[in-house]
Structure formats: C-alpha cells, structure tokens
Amino acid sequence: MNNDQRAYMHILKSFILILSFQLLSIIAIAEEQETRIGFLAYHPDRGPVLSNLLPEPQGRGLNGAQLGLNDNNTTGRFLKQHYSLASALAETPEQVSSIVTQWLDDGIRLLITDLPKNELLAVTNIATAYGAIIFNAGSYANELRTETCLSNTLHTLPSRAMLTDALGQWSTARRLQRWLLIKGSQPEDIAYADSLKRSAKRFGVKIVAEKTWSFDTDLRRTAQRELPLFTQTDEYDLVVVADERGDFGEYVMYNTWYPRPVAGTQGLTPVAWHRVIEQWGAAQLQSRFDKEFQRWMNSKDYAAWAAVRTIGEAVTQTRSSDPATLFSFINSDQFQLAAFKGRKLNYRNWSGQLRQPIPLVQPRSLVSQPPLEGFLHPVTDLDTLGIDKPESRCTVSFNTAIKQQ
C-alpha cells in the first residue's frame, strides 16, 4: 500500500468514526425519555392584614418545583431522562379549570397544584378522566385525607392534623397539659382550631377555654391593653393560636394575662419547612434555593419540590413516564424519598399523604421535630402525626385514562 492509499484509508476511517459518533448522538437523543410536568397555582385575594412585615413571596410553590426540576435533570442527564415544567398562575377559578384542560389535552399527565380545597376538587374531577396524577402542594384540609377522598391524588403538603399533632406531642412531652385556645373567625382559622381540638383530645390535653377573636381593633396600638384582658381566664400552661391569615396572632406573644408560651399559627409553629432547618444535609438545599431565587424556602416550596422529586425518583426506578405505573410504584413499599428530614419518606397507601416529620420552629431556630420518642405506632412512628388509617374512609386508587391525548 503506497502513501496515497494510506492517506486515503486514514481519511476514510476518520470519516467513519465521526459519522459513528453522530449516529450515536442521534440515537441517544431519540432514546431520551421525556417527562412533562405541569405546575398550577391560584392565590385568591385574602384581603389586608394588620401584620404585613413578611408578605408571601410571589413565586411560592413554583420556585420549589423549579428547584426540583433542576435536581431531576441533574440526575436524568446520566440516565437519558429529561424533565420539563409548564407553569401558570390562574387569576380566577374558571382559569384553573381552563388551564388544566388545555394541559391535559396537550398530553401532560403529571400535575402539581397550589390550590385551595374547592379548586383542587375541580381539578381532580377533570384530571382523573384523563388518567393524570395530581400532587396536592397547596391545601392543608384534613377532609381531603378523611372523607372527601380524591383518586389519582397524592399530598406532599402536610394536613392540618399533622401540624397540630406535632404540637400536641411536644406539649405533652413538656407537660404543658392545659391550653387556652384563641381562634379567628375565618374558615381557615376555624378549621385549624378544630384540628387543635382533635389533637388535644388525642394526647390528653385539656382546653381550659376557647375564645374567638372577632374584633377589628388595630392591635399595633392597643395590644398591651386589650390582649391581657382578653386572655384572662382559668390558668393555662400554653396559649394555642389559630390565625392562619395573621389578623391578630402576631400580637398575642408577651401580652397574655399569664406569662405563658404561645404556639400554633404564631409563636412556636409547626411547618413543613423553614429556613432554620439545616441538619441532614438540608443546609445545601437551603443554599441552592437561596442562590437561585434570593429568598428563603417555605412550606409551599418544599411541598412542590417534594412532588417533583417524587416524580423523578419514580421515573428513575421504573424507567417509565406512564402515570399508572408511576402511581403504583409511588404507593408501594419500594418507594423512598430522600427529603432532608432525617428519614426516608413514603406515602400512606390509604390517603396518598406523604409521611414526614414536622419541624416546630421559632423565627431563628428549630425547637423540635416530631414524631418524638415515646409516641409509638404499630407500623411507623410517622403515623402518630395526622390522620391514621382507622380514622380515614379513603383508599388510594388510580383511575385508568378514559380520554387519550
């Protein structure tokens, strides 16, 4: 073989090698598994409140979903998996239904929602007919886990019962057995108060008095004068507050008739997530979120992040984006979610609720994280928080798609 022939063969081999790499790239792209997710929020106007020092961030929930998407794609890059996120903020309940229908018709079958209870019910009714999975990352309503059972729905946000049971465990462990309950007049406040009363009964706590704050007084000027008289009653160990909107709760601390701690929606607060959580690797999650969005991660962000990560974990393990396959795996004993709370998390197979510890926080520190030692359960101590199986009429179910894209 002369020099010209050798040169020709070298060029031919190089060409074949380049062509092979291009073909492999095309095959890799063609084989990449695409998982499409929708995030929908609706934040109805709740009216002005007295304390607006810490307004709700505009991107709450959505930013958590975006961080979860980044995490999924970081892992998915090595597994030929790609995740995309469609997002929308509805301005009316009618828009909620319209957006969901449009996404479903476009083939999206994995929906994460930050919606009030009624809007979530409407979305579930629409989405179930398409065989879609809904992740509730916006409603704390207990009844969605007990009586108003939702098919195809998983709850990454804790129920109110989980929050108040965490408070009940801590109060019992500290022997604060007498509560003064103060509630607002909004429907959410009444629901939180009902949950507190359920927890008190569950853990043997006595409610010495229950009072409703129904005044429109500007407490910024009169709290020192009005609240001591309002909280004058039989002696109590702990003041529990049900004021989800923030109408008066911020002013209860240090203004009670007896000098007692305050807990509930204000004071020592049970939450899904808070910036003070740093153990179990949470500091790096907090850091990544702060770097990306220049604010603190809150409970709605965490619930949406957990939903996206649940999808990512299920897709990775099953190598499928089929909703029925994912739903079955997520509700099985094989599913585990690493979620920076010191435990591997999974879902209750009767209500679709994500089992999780509940941090009890004050503004600058983590005080406790129930379930606490000594509170036992035959299955898992995580089920000492919230609605247990005998209390729920629900059974997790998945409806096969009726409408095709």
Side-chain angles (χ1 to χ4, degrees), residues 308-320:
V308 176
R309 287 296 299 123
T310 294
I311 294 169
E313 184 65 24
V315 169
T316 298
Q317 294 297 324
T318 63
R319 295 299 179 97
S320 172

Side-chain angles (χ1 to χ4, degrees), residues 72-117:
N72 282 2
N73 280 323
T74 298
T75 303
R77 189 177 300 118
F78 302 101
L79 301 173
K80 297 181 182 179
Q81 295 170 348
H82 182 262
Y83 301 82
S84 60
L85 183 70
S87 64
L89 177 61
E91 296 182 358
T92 65
E94 292 75 21
Q95 274 193 358
V96 170
S97 298
S98 175
I99 292 167
V100 165
T101 301
Q102 180 181 341
W103 283 351
L104 292 167
D105 286 339
D106 192 39
I108 295 177
R109 294 293 182 267
L110 302 169
L111 302 176
I112 301 169
T113 65
D114 176 9
L115 301 172
K117 180 182 71 173

Side-chain angles (χ1 to χ4, degrees), residues 46-248:
R46 303 175 70 185
V49 295
L50 289 178
S51 178
N52 56 3
L53 296 177
L54 295 173
E56 291 279 2
Q58 290 294 323
R60 61 187 180 276
L62 173 60
N63 295 155
Q66 291 169 330
L67 187 69
L69 193 79
N70 293 343
D71 293 348
N72 282 2
N73 280 323
T74 298
T75 303
R77 189 177 300 118
F78 302 101
L79 301 173
K80 297 181 182 179
Q81 295 170 348
H82 182 262
Y83 301 82
S84 60
L85 183 70
S87 64
L89 177 61
E91 296 182 358
T92 65
E94 292 75 21
Q95 274 193 358
V96 170
S97 298
S98 175
I99 292 167
V100 165
T101 301
Q102 180 181 341
W103 283 351
L104 292 167
D105 286 339
D106 192 39
I108 295 177
R109 294 293 182 267
L110 302 169
L111 302 176
I112 301 169
T113 65
D114 176 9
L115 301 172
K117 180 182 71 173
N118 290 338
E119 284 68 35
L120 177 61
L121 290 170
V123 166
T124 301
N125 289 335
I126 297 170
T128 298
Y130 287 79
I133 302 177
I134 304 96
F135 289 86
N136 168 30
S139 177
Y140 295 96
N142 288 339
E143 54 268 31
L144 297 178
R145 288 86 165 169
T146 56
E147 297 179 357
T148 309
C149 307
L150 306 178
S151 61
N152 295 30
T153 302
L154 301 165
H155 308 276
T156 53
L157 195 69
S159 64
R160 286 190 182 93
M162 293 174 69
L163 303 180
T164 58
D165 279 355
L167 190 58
Q169 286 194 13
W170 175 84
S171 179
T172 301
R174 297 303 303 271
R175 299 187 179 181
L176 304 174
Q177 296 292 91
R178 296 173 296 178
W179 288 0
L180 167 62
L181 171 58
I182 306 175
K183 67 178 188 291
S185 55
Q186 300 294 323
E188 296 85 357
D189 303 336
I190 295 170
Y192 197 97
D194 289 342
S195 198
L196 283 168
K197 287 186 281 188
R198 172 194 167 278
S199 297
K201 182 177 180 181
R202 189 177 195 185
F203 295 104
V205 173
K206 179 182 179 182
I207 297 178
V208 300
E210 178 181 342
K211 296 195 172 188
T212 301
W213 182 267
S214 57
F215 310 101
D216 57 2
T217 308
D218 189 346
L219 287 176
R220 290 172 291 186
R221 298 179 177 86
T222 63
Q224 286 185 325
R225 183 174 69 251
E226 297 198 25
L227 281 169
L229 295 175
F230 182 75
T231 56
Q232 185 177 7
T233 182
D234 292 341
E235 191 170 357
Y236 42 83
D237 303 317
L238 181 68
V239 181
V240 289
V241 179
D243 176 27
E244 289 196 0
R245 216 168 72 96
D247 284 324
F248 64 90

